[in-house]
Amino acid sequence: MSETPLLVIKNLHASVDGKPILRGLDLTVNRGEIHALMGPNGSGKSTLSNVICGHPNYEVTEGEIHFMGQNITEMEPDERAKLGIFLAFQYPTSIPGVTLANFLLASVKAIRGADNVKLLPFRKELVAQMQELGINQDFAKRYVNEGFSGGEKKRCEILQMAMLKPALAILDETDSGLDIDALRIVSEGVNRLTTPEMGVLVITHYQRLLNHIKPHKVHVLVHGRIVQSGGPEIALQLEENGYDELLKAHGLEPAGV
Amino acid sequence: MSATLQIPVQVQGLESPKHKGAFERLSSLTFPTYRDEVWRRTDPENVKPEGQAVVAPKSSFGMLKGEAVPAGVTLEAIEKGQEFIFSVAPVAKTNLFDALNGSVYQGGAFLKVGKDVSTGEQALFVHHHFEGKGMAAPRSYLEVGAGSSVTLVEYFTSDDPEMLAIPSVEVDVKAGAKFRYVFVNLWNNTARVVPTVHAKVEKDAHFEMLFAGFGTKLTKAFFESDLIGEGAKSELLGIVLGQGRQHYDMDAQQNHRVGKTVSDVLCHVALTDRARSVFAGNILCEPGAQQIDGYQQNRNLLLSDKARADSMPRLEIEANDVRCTHGASFATYDRDQKFYLQARGLTAYEAEHLLVTGFFAAVVERMDHEAVGEWLAEKLEAKMQAALGKTK
Ligand SMILES: Nc1ncnc2c1ncn2[C@@H]1O[C@H](COP(=O)(O)OP(=O)(O)OP(=O)(O)O)[C@@H](O)[C@H]1O
Ligand SMILES: [Mg+2]
């Protein structure tokens, strides 16, 4: 049974302002798989998620990204989103003057097609999803991420995932800034939203998230490359030992940002 | 550099004492150079009069939605209110452009509102349109009587792509009155404009001005408020959309002449292409003036790598016994916001459109006037389609 993988990244090199960050990265995510991506600060995890989504600050200098069999390396960010790629940002930006409700309506329309979105069902769905994620209904009227606490921002990222129902969800340190209860609510939300048709790439520094969202595979990114891949046991080993040995094994200085 | 100033030839009004007084003041001034502090970022040579004839506007005076002007309101051409000119801004203290305006002005609005009049949900509306080549020098005097609550939209448009415009506005908000004033700077896209707005805000009065800058090649604006009675409040709101090589330079001066006064400046600037903006805010607290609140906020949304915005907040306290709460916040938003929206499926155009709409709505909502908000949104929509369509 050879199904087309959801995401295939081949020998990806990317730089920002001429400075290379990703240096030959390979990764394949199939439907129904949850992958965890770990790695020291500055190793390129957020860069990878931004590059998958087409952030204009990053230049792909070599390699390719395929999604559902299509080469998306040169695509506009919105085209990728419409294909079903979703990124929960590590640092969601605020958008003054645009309410969360209007923002979600605009993006749901963009993703599902304006003709397929009716206002009343949209509102009902939004209310229900906010309840599930423990987000106060008042947030719908607030400007996107403006004055939100760190944890509130992260919950709203998952709310967006819930509304947009992507085929590939990349969660960039969604656990950072969450209190213990929120971590559980958000992880449960992600698990509830994850269908067998979907792929998930979870970027995290901590095992505690992986206790809730159980990965099938774990990868370690160091200095712009995946240097180790395996099962969930890798995350546990890293929790024990840190990155020093891995870094040394690849001739890199430990813990330098 | 010796700055010689050519005065436009048509100075037919000069026989009136107001024109003469202004002309005397003008004659005592030298034309600024870029070495002057306030002209650092906008070369005054670009707005130098070159002997153009002064053109009078075609003006209409009425209400935004065509209703009848309420009783107690006089709204007509400035020529009917000449006696009040320079009562807010003494002629001896005017800047060169205001003095020049006073020497040659033609057209403008004269608003005099009696006591306890309200325009409620409605708004007074003045449209000045300038046709033909030359220099525009309209002058408005706007006075809102004690206890009144009035909204006025003054809307400036022009045809001449070469036009130099130097509008001056004097505002007097009497005790306990509230005056919402919307200055719509929608001249020809290549016009050069130097507006001066000077307001006097009396005891317990509230002046709320919204400056909407959607047109012009170059605008160098001077806004000044004098808070002269306790309980006075001056709010200056700004929304500016720059495209191409448009240049906006705004100078907001809030003078707390007495204590227990509030000033609040909020300016949102969105720039595409190679547009450029400068915002300089200054809060002045006079000696002995206690319990002053002064806020300045300038946020800039850069939609292109080549656009540039500068913010310069200043605070002058002339005595050390002043208690002044002073909050200044400056923020620049760039590609991350647009990317955030695009990552949620919006096209580049849709993303910029939503960003700019929201960015301005955050300011316009502060004014809390539905009819004016809708009218402005319509004007903005047309401008946005032109400005954002290009950067796609
Ligand atoms: N826009 C940018 N401009 C300049 N440098 C950048 C930019 N984006 C990323 N970098 C640099 O690229 C490197 C990788 O950054 P990235 O954010 O991908 O790391 P990360 O693995 O996500 O780290 P963390 O665990 O701290 O989130 C860092 O050295 C960072 O400073
Ligand atoms: Mg990161």
Side-chain angles (χ1 to χ4, degrees):
Chain A
M1 224 176 64
S2 75
E3 208 187 314
T4 316
L6 197 58
L7 176 75
V8 179
I9 298 174
K10 283 185 284 197
N11 188 31
L12 185 66
H13 291 252
S15 48
V16 57
D17 296 332
K19 176 183 152 201
I21 310 286
L22 301 181
R23 308 149 195 266
L25 185 143
D26 296 281
L27 180 70
T28 299
V29 178
N30 291 300
R31 290 181 190 272
E33 288 179 355
I34 297 176
H35 290 236
L37 183 66
M38 306 183 80
N41 294 132
S43 55
K45 302 180 298 296
S46 295
T47 301
L48 174 65
S49 46
N50 279 314
V51 170
I52 295 173
C53 294
H55 195 297
N57 282 2
Y58 302 87
E59 192 196 352
V60 173
T61 51
E62 217 184 310
E64 285 177 3
I65 307 171
H66 291 249
F67 186 70
M68 294 181 180
Q70 239 189 103
N71 185 347
I72 61 161
T73 319
E74 298 295 324
M75 270 188 192
E76 288 295 313
D78 54 295
E79 294 170 327
R80 302 179 200 217
K82 281 170 188 144
L83 290 179
I85 299 178
F86 176 87
L87 168 61
F89 285 84
Q90 182 175 4
Y91 304 110
T93 157
S94 69
I95 304 183
V98 179
T99 62
L100 184 62
N102 280 344
F103 166 68
L104 278 167
L105 181 61
S107 36
V108 166
K109 277 184 174 174
I111 300 289
R112 296 186 204 165
D115 295 341
N116 303 323
V117 182
K118 300 272 170 291
L119 212 54
L120 222 60
F122 165 81
R123 286 221 185 100
K124 275 195 184 149
E125 190 183 345
L126 180 58
V127 168
Q129 294 291 4
M130 289 178 88
Q131 261 162 6
E132 287 275 0
L133 290 165
I135 301 170
N136 193 308
Q137 300 295 331
D138 294 346
F139 274 73
K141 286 186 224 119
R142 284 179 61 178
Y143 297 157
V144 178
N145 293 324
E146 185 140 282
F148 289 18
S149 77
E152 288 164 351
K153 285 183 190 171
K154 296 303 173 81
R155 282 188 206 213
C156 281
E157 292 295 293
I158 301 309
L159 174 65
Q160 293 169 46
M161 174 182 165
M163 296 299 289
L164 299 177
K165 302 183 174 50
L168 173 69
I170 304 167
L171 310 178
D172 192 352
E173 293 195 28
T174 299
D175 53 334
S176 70
L178 291 179
D179 64 41
I180 295 158
D181 291 337
L183 182 69
R184 186 179 42 78
I185 293 166
V186 164
S187 321
E188 280 170 8
V190 172
N191 288 331
R192 177 172 54 84
L193 296 166
T194 305
T195 65
E197 300 301 304
M198 267 181 77
V200 180
L201 182 62
V202 187
I203 298 173
T204 184
H205 287 292
Y206 303 106
Q207 173 61 35
R208 59 169 192 219
L209 177 69
L210 304 179
N211 289 335
H212 295 279
I213 303 176
K214 299 227 168 358
H216 302 99
K217 288 186 182 158
V218 177
H219 311 273
V220 184
L221 184 65
V222 171
H223 203 52
R225 298 168 105 152
I226 289 177
V227 297
Q228 196 181 13
S229 293
E233 72 284 353
I234 290 187
L236 293 165
Q237 287 162 14
L238 285 176
E239 189 104 319
E240 282 285 296
N241 309 324
Y243 291 108
D244 282 9
E245 271 178 39
L246 257 179
L247 289 169
K248 271 185 213 143
H250 289 83
L252 295 164
E253 284 295 308
V257 179
Chain B
M1 198 173 76
S2 83
T4 54
L5 180 66
Q6 281 177 278
I7 299 302
V9 282
Q10 280 192 16
V11 282
Q12 47 136 184
L14 259 184
E15 57 275 8
S16 96
K18 295 288 180 184
H19 283 95
K20 268 190 210 141
F23 186 67
E24 263 167 43
R25 165 74 177 161
L26 178 66
S27 312
S28 74
L29 296 168
T30 50
F31 197 73
T33 74
Y34 66 88
R35 282 186 293 271
D36 296 340
E37 179 63 28
V38 295
W39 290 94
R40 241 347 119 63
R41 285 164 177 86
T42 302
D43 189 347
E45 289 298 308
N46 291 326
V47 287
K48 195 167 184 176
E50 281 161 343
Q52 300 100 319
V54 174
V55 283
K58 286 192 172 142
S59 299
S60 61
F61 303 89
M63 302 290 285
L64 188 64
K65 300 211 162 144
E67 308 96 336
V69 173
V73 175
T74 304
L75 180 61
E76 51 196 337
I78 188 67
E79 282 72 16
K80 300 279 169 55
Q82 303 227 35
E83 59 187 291
F84 298 102
I85 287 175
F86 291 122
S87 61
V88 169
V91 68
K93 288 190 176 165
T94 51
N95 70 36
L96 181 130
F97 285 88
D98 199 9
L100 173 59
N101 174 294
S103 311
V104 301
Y105 67 87
Q106 279 191 44
F110 170 52
L111 171 70
K112 202 162 182 358
V113 178
K115 280 189 185 173
D116 302 319
V117 177
S118 170
T119 53
E121 310 278 287
Q122 306 177 348
L124 301 164
F125 183 72
V126 175
H127 181 192
H128 305 293
H129 181 67
F130 293 82
E131 282 174 2
K133 293 192 174 307
M135 184 169 91
R139 187 165 194 98
S140 294
Y141 175 82
L142 315 171
E143 183 188 306
V144 176
S148 287
S149 172
V150 166
T151 302
L152 166 71
V153 175
E154 194 168 20
Y155 174 39
F156 297 88
T157 56
S158 65
D159 283 341
D160 174 17
E162 304 278 300
M163 177 163 272
L164 174 65
I166 53 161
S168 282
V169 181
E170 287 177 73
V171 176
D172 192 348
V173 193
K174 300 286 188 196
K178 163 144 192 180
F179 184 37
R180 273 196 202 96
Y181 175 52
V182 183
F183 185 109
V184 187
N185 202 52
L186 243 169
W187 310 79
N188 186 287
N189 251 347
T190 52
R192 297 154 297 143
V193 186
V194 187
T196 303
V197 179
H198 199 145
K200 185 167 84 182
V201 192
E202 302 186 4
K203 188 174 174 354
D204 296 322
H206 182 180
F207 176 51
E208 186 178 65
M209 167 162 174
L210 176 82
F211 174 76
F214 302 153
T216 81
K217 173 171 127 195
L218 186 160
T219 291
K220 168 73 184 168
F222 296 95
F223 307 115
E224 185 164 1
S225 289
D226 285 309
L227 295 147
I228 61 163
E230 285 190 357
K233 179 172 183 184
S234 163
E235 245 178 309
L236 173 62
L237 308 172
I239 51 176
V240 168
L241 175 64
Q243 64 181 103
R245 285 176 177 271
Q246 290 178 346
H247 177 111
Y248 265 85
D249 182 345
M250 290 156 288
D251 208 288
Q253 172 84 36
Q254 305 290 321
N255 303 318
H256 294 259
R257 304 293 183 200
V258 298
K260 298 202 172 102
T261 47
V262 178
S263 68
D264 197 345
V265 177
L266 173 69
C267 187
H268 281 195
V269 179
L271 304 176
T272 70
D273 305 326
R274 289 169 175 272
R276 166 91 213 268
S277 75
V278 183
F279 172 86
N282 192 19
I283 296 174
L284 179 132
C285 303
E286 277 208 5
Q290 298 282 347
Q291 295 175 35
I292 285 167
D293 288 332
Y295 304 101
Q296 298 176 54
Q297 255 194 79
N298 171 218
R299 289 165 141 186
N300 303 305
L301 175 66
L302 303 183
L303 297 167
S304 111
D305 292 343
K306 306 229 164 63
R308 184 176 152 194
D310 291 314
S311 296
M312 289 171 298
R314 274 182 294 150
L315 174 66
E316 285 173 40
I317 297 180
E318 294 194 339
N320 50 16
D321 61 342
V322 160
R323 191 157 66 78
C324 178
T325 329
H326 170 245
S329 91
F330 297 85
T332 296
Y333 302 98
D334 50 25
R335 295 212 279 206
D336 283 340
Q337 287 195 314
K338 188 175 157 191
F339 176 63
Y340 191 67
L341 294 180
Q342 282 192 273
R344 298 296 181 249
L346 279 73
T347 63
Y349 175 78
E350 289 166 345
E352 291 188 348
H353 192 280
L354 185 63
L355 277 180
V356 175
T357 308
F359 192 59
F360 289 164
V363 177
V364 174
E365 277 164 16
R366 271 264 289 263
M367 200 177 51
D368 197 24
H369 194 291
E370 206 175 310
V372 170
E374 279 168 13
W375 183 86
L376 274 173
E378 220 172 87
K379 295 285 167 234
L380 175 64
E381 182 58 41
K383 273 285 155 192
M384 251 191 319
Q385 286 180 7
L388 305 181
K390 278 206 302 189
T391 60
K392 218 173 157 180

